[in-house]
Amino acid sequence: MIKVNQLEKYFNKGKNNELHALKGVSVTFEDKGLVCILGESGSGKTTLLNAIGGLDTFQGGSMEIEGITLNKYDPKAVEKIRNDKYGYIFQNYYLLQDYTVAYNVKLALNTFDISEEEKDERVEYVLQKLDIAKYKKKLVSQLSGGQQQRVAIARALAAAPAIILADEPTGNLDGKTSQDVLSLLKVTSRKFAQTIVMITHNEEIAQLADRIIRIEDGRIIK
C-alpha cells in the first residue's frame, strides 16, 4: 500500500520562476489493481509519479510505502524502496535494442542473490504469461512497438515487485495496441496481486483502469 499525505513539490523554490508543482496532494493506493492518474500536460501527474517512485525529491508532506515512512527525501531509504518494492515501465521502453528479449528481462534480476537457473526460470515464466516467450531469442530491434512494450512489462514483472509505476506506457502505441497493453496490465495486477500506478492524459485509455485519479494544477480534484 502507498499512502501519500499532503505532498508538496516545488521547482526553483524562492526564485522568480518558482513553480508549485504539487499542492498538498493526499491519496492512497491499495494493494492490488490498476490505477490511472489522469491529467493534462503540466498538471503534475508525472511529478507525482516521480516523487512516489523515488525518482525526484519533495519538499513537504510524507509518504508511507509498504510500511516504510518517508518524511523527507532520504536517498538511502529511497534506494532500498526502489530495489525492494518497485518495478518501472517507461513510455520509451529503455530496452537494449541490440540484445535479445530474454537478456533484457534478465537484467532486472542481476541484483538478486539467486542462481542463473532461477533467473532463467523467472524470465521464462513472465514471458510465457505475457505471450512473448516465442520471441525470447529475438533481438529487441526486430520487434514491433507493442511487442517491445510487453518486453518492458516483462522486465518490470521479473523481479516480482509489489508496486509497478508506469509512465505513459501507451504513449507511443496505436489505439488497438494501447488497449491491449492496458488490458494486459489490468489482468497482470490481479494475477500477480500488484499495485500498478499509471499516468496518462488519454481519457479513453484511463477508462480501462480499476480506478481513476484526476489531477489538475498540482491538486487531486476527483
Side-chain angles (χ1 to χ4, degrees):
M1 179 181 290
I2 306 170
K3 293 182 179 179
V4 177
N5 183 42
Q6 295 295 310
L7 205 67
E8 299 280 347
K9 170 66 181 179
Y10 293 85
F11 292 100
N12 304 315
K13 189 173 183 180
K15 298 181 179 179
N16 291 336
N17 59 342
E18 177 182 291
L19 174 63
H20 195 179
L22 296 177
K23 303 171 182 176
V25 171
S26 295
V27 64
T28 297
F29 301 94
E30 303 298 336
D31 287 336
K32 184 168 70 172
L34 173 61
V35 182
C36 273
I37 301 175
L38 179 65
E40 298 297 325
S41 178
S43 62
K45 62 185 186 298
T46 300
T47 302
L48 177 58
L49 192 79
N50 287 345
I52 292 171
L55 302 175
D56 203 354
T57 60
F58 59 94
Q59 286 83 34
S62 64
M63 292 190 292
E64 182 181 330
I65 301 166
E66 294 286 296
I68 300 171
T69 299
L70 296 175
N71 293 307
K72 62 178 181 178
Y73 184 80
D74 181 338
K76 287 186 178 179
V78 165
E79 183 178 0
K80 180 172 176 55
I81 291 169
R82 281 202 303 258
N83 291 338
D84 296 347
K85 309 293 184 183
Y86 284 153
Y88 299 89
I89 303 171
F90 299 101
Q91 178 178 348
N92 294 319
Y93 319 140
Y94 292 110
L95 299 171
L96 300 177
Q97 295 288 316
D98 296 327
Y99 289 83
T100 66
V101 167
Y103 181 88
N104 271 271
V105 176
K106 195 173 180 178
L107 279 177
L109 302 173
N110 281 349
T111 59
F112 285 58
D113 186 19
I114 56 178
S115 68
E116 291 300 310
E117 182 180 6
E118 184 174 346
K119 289 179 183 178
D120 290 337
E121 288 175 356
R122 284 203 191 191
V123 170
E124 182 68 23
Y125 178 75
V126 295
L127 292 180
Q128 288 285 356
K129 289 294 182 183
L130 296 173
D131 196 30
I132 50 173
K134 58 189 172 185
Y135 302 126
K136 68 180 181 180
K137 293 183 179 180
K138 276 198 168 188
L139 299 182
V140 167
S141 60
Q142 297 174 318
L143 303 181
S144 69
Q147 290 164 346
Q148 289 193 39
Q149 191 58 284
R150 283 178 180 249
V151 177
I153 294 169
R155 181 182 57 191
L157 288 174
I163 300 159
I164 292 179
L165 304 176
D167 181 4
E168 295 271 13
T170 63
N172 292 328
L173 306 178
D174 60 54
K176 174 63 168 60
T177 306
S178 294
Q179 290 193 354
D180 289 346
V181 167
L182 260 292
S183 297
L184 177 62
L185 287 175
K186 192 170 182 177
V187 170
T188 295
S189 68
R190 295 172 179 171
K191 186 178 293 185
F192 292 88
Q194 292 167 313
T195 303
I196 300 180
V197 182
M198 187 191 92
I199 61 172
T200 185
H201 63 274
N202 188 314
E203 183 85 33
E204 183 178 355
I205 288 297
Q207 296 304 318
L208 296 172
D210 297 307
R211 180 183 175 203
I212 300 172
I213 296 170
R214 297 179 185 272
I215 189 168
E216 183 178 298
D217 191 28
R219 293 185 176 91
I220 289 177
I221 59 171
K222 189 176 180 181

